[in-house]
Amino acid sequence: MKPIQVGLLGIGTVGSGTFEVLKRNQEEIQRRAGRGIEVTMVADLDVARAKSIVGANVQVVDDARKVIANPDIDIVVELIGGYGIAKQLVLEAIDAGKHVVTANKALLAVHGTEIFAAAHKKGVMVAFEAAVAGGIPIIKALREGLTANRIQWLAGIINGTTNFILSEMRDKGLTFDDVLKQAQALGYAEADPTFDIEGVDAAHKATLMSAIAFGVPVQFDKAYVEGITKLESQDIKYAEQLGYRIKLLGISKRTAAGIELRVHPCLVPAKRLIANVEGAMNAVMVHADAVGTTLYYGKGAGSEPTASAVIADLVDITRLHTADPLNRVPHLAFQPDAMSNLPILPMAQVVTSYYLRLRVADQAGVLAKVTGILANADISIDAVLQREAGEGESHTDLIILTHDCVEAKMNQALAEMQKLTTVLAPITRIRKEELN
Amino acid sequence: MKPIQVGLLGIGTVGSGTFEVLKRNQEEIQRRAGRGIEVTMVADLDVARAKSIVGANVQVVDDARKVIANPDIDIVVELIGGYGIAKQLVLEAIDAGKHVVTANKALLAVHGTEIFAAAHKKGVMVAFEAAVAGGIPIIKALREGLTANRIQWLAGIINGTTNFILSEMRDKGLTFDDVLKQAQALGYAEADPTFDIEGVDAAHKATLMSAIAFGVPVQFDKAYVEGITKLESQDIKYAEQLGYRIKLLGISKRTAAGIELRVHPCLVPAKRLIANVEGAMNAVMVHADAVGTTLYYGKGAGSEPTASAVIADLVDITRLHTADPLNRVPHLAFQPDAMSNLPILPMAQVVTSYYLRLRVADQAGVLAKVTGILANADISIDAVLQREAGEGESHTDLIILTHDCVEAKMNQALAEMQKLTTVLAPITRIRKEELN
């Protein structure tokens, strides 16, 4: 089957990430989608730069309307941003019968009602997973994963720039202004950071999540928006003394009177998982009547994390276009005729690191013998902890953390150590995972 | 349109939760699905108990095959569990052309290949979101949310019983045996807890996630399985001294040689979010090339959390059956003609709690005046922190945490406090959310 043909409007950070990931993972994506997905046309004002990214096999134009007018293009990806020309182009693409994928939260939070109505009338999809919390599939969770529930509230760290600033203010006791400058230098904040630091970007995202959670139209104009520009370091310190962290949250809550929709700095109990989301990471908590509280965490911005969401939308549309609708999503994610024959490894071939606890005689030379066995097996040591022998005790505990090694080698070293007469009990071995 | 008719095989904990949530949230679920979803038939050996749960309007039988044979039933929900009769009934339901929803991880981890092939051949869906991590939509995230990615590894706390036991052992310094007895008394562990504490349940779930993540068939027999029965409290303490927590993780990882698939106790750096998942909660980390690390957190078991996943699958199937395929999932989750007109509230009507910081004169009576104003406004105080005035300072900081009140009242109280001559600077007000 001919690949699905995608046209990109704009090839900046997210556009180039989308192009790159689609190319790099094309084999796996095709196995999941049941059909190839290819960027075949790009519109960007900077044609030379665009060509340097996509190479000679992709048509590059400076006029987005040429992409929309191309009958071979199945899906238009709008990555221009803002309310202006982007709105016009999205509406024109819908009118031309194209599906649209967009990362444009501002556009949908303000003009969503008009755009979704146009798409519904024309029978095309406007997909926007990338508009909220970057690569975290939160739109899918709210729209499909939690459909059983009456959602009661949601609260999210949905702007990485402000969360980075707040984390740095707390960690290093710096002022807002100092951290903002640092964030700009690191590329975590834009030259004009107003939309981020004043809470507008978070409010766009909260507006979209609120509409999906509660079944109300998007109403950005009703959102309460307060940023972090007036936050002082001393409040972060006082909050900490009281057991809280300060986070910029986007909150929407169902009450008897109506829907609360608000973005503002917030004290959150330090023991909540979301209070420990640091740096530029995002997280969304959803509280619903059947499932209770769930939380979704990941990178909320950046080239490839956002591209991950754009491409998930492309796969969703492709699966609808091509697969038997009753097998729209394959049972095991990949199409049944596209399963891999990669073997599941025996445990002896697994590579990991280890925690070892040895009950040893409290005498000279024990540590040397044990570490000698590990060294002979090429297992390097990360840390050693030796409990002092208690009064009158003739034994003690020796704890060793190792670096990565293959399990077979560790098994052999363990057998050798166990044979030492100075090792007085069966050795405890627990595997260690850094998960980083 | 006639509601989708669902038949339950088994109405124990998850079955009764499914029945209850479908009934309680029927209006919202219909607005999302575009069509009603009703349990119209139940099979359970204990007919009397089943009737006491579902009432007179639902047909109750003691023979599951009568549900499968009923031509009015669109979807069969298998909640019997185990590999035995459940397997036979699922295959018969598929053969009868019914879609199947199941929470049966054991069945799918062991016989998934045969079952999915039968479903594929017959053109029906076998949906199993409830089989892994209860109400957390992790199957959907892996199968649809992360389709852009080459997944590198996943690691999950996917058994609540063992995580509860490990949390208690660490918190209270108790032994495994003591905590197990307590967990059984609290209903967190079953009378025969073997499948949980030996890691088998976690391995079933890890097997399913591994297949979806890497596009390999389900191969439970290749999984390495080690439980927590031999863990000693002292190892939890030593690990803590080294900066780690011990968790039972289900891990699957792609390596050049093949797929690692293993369940065992694991040291995890204490600073990782997943190390702080306590009690019976579940969480799954996924590391993938484009999106980086994402994490999904929530209740992994229990009646309504698991029902949440069962019903999400019912809605997925219903949306496919009825909606225009190109609008399978409505843009804003609810069908366009079923939006709510709940108002977005003005901020003055929002109810929340507050952190206040007042720069006050260091003199008697200030606290009385400030708290008097709050009392007059019916705003009750949760905590007060007063910084000691420094040497030679004539002012100090007064920090107040309040309980919930409506924002309008707080605005008025703030205006009054601001007028006090002993309040020397603009008052800082930050809202507080407990998120519990």
Side-chain angles (χ1 to χ4, degrees), chain B residues 117-165:
Chain B
H120 191 72
K121 196 170 150 198
K122 195 78 189 181
V124 297
M125 293 171 76
V126 174
F128 56 98
E129 183 63 78
V132 181
I136 308 171
I138 182 64
I139 299 294
K140 191 170 278 288
L142 287 169
R143 209 160 62 171
E144 305 178 43
L146 302 179
T147 44
N149 292 268
R150 189 168 167 86
I151 294 173
Q152 286 144 339
W153 55 262
L154 57 86
I157 296 174
I158 44 181
N159 180 274
T161 305
T162 46
N163 200 54
F164 173 82
I165 293 173

Side-chain angles (χ1 to χ4, degrees), chain A residues 216-294:
Chain A
V216 296
V218 289
Q219 295 164 75
F220 174 69
D221 57 320
K222 302 277 176 62
Y224 172 83
V225 188
E226 180 184 324
I228 62 165
T229 52
K230 288 175 212 144
L231 266 188
E232 297 189 38
S233 321
Q234 52 186 325
D235 293 312
I236 293 175
K237 268 181 238 149
Y238 287 134
E240 191 136 31
Q241 287 174 32
L242 292 157
Y244 292 86
R245 302 265 168 88
I246 298 183
K247 294 289 184 190
L248 181 71
L249 294 186
I251 294 177
S252 192
K253 194 179 282 190
R254 181 204 301 269
T255 77
I259 307 289
E260 295 182 5
L261 175 56
R262 49 196 169 99
V263 170
H264 52 72
C266 223
L267 272 73
V268 181
K271 66 185 171 201
R272 299 263 176 277
L273 226 46
I274 200 169
N276 296 286
V277 170
E278 301 291 358
M281 302 304 283
N282 281 18
V284 179
M285 276 176 93
V286 184
H287 189 77
D289 69 339
V291 75
T293 297
T294 53

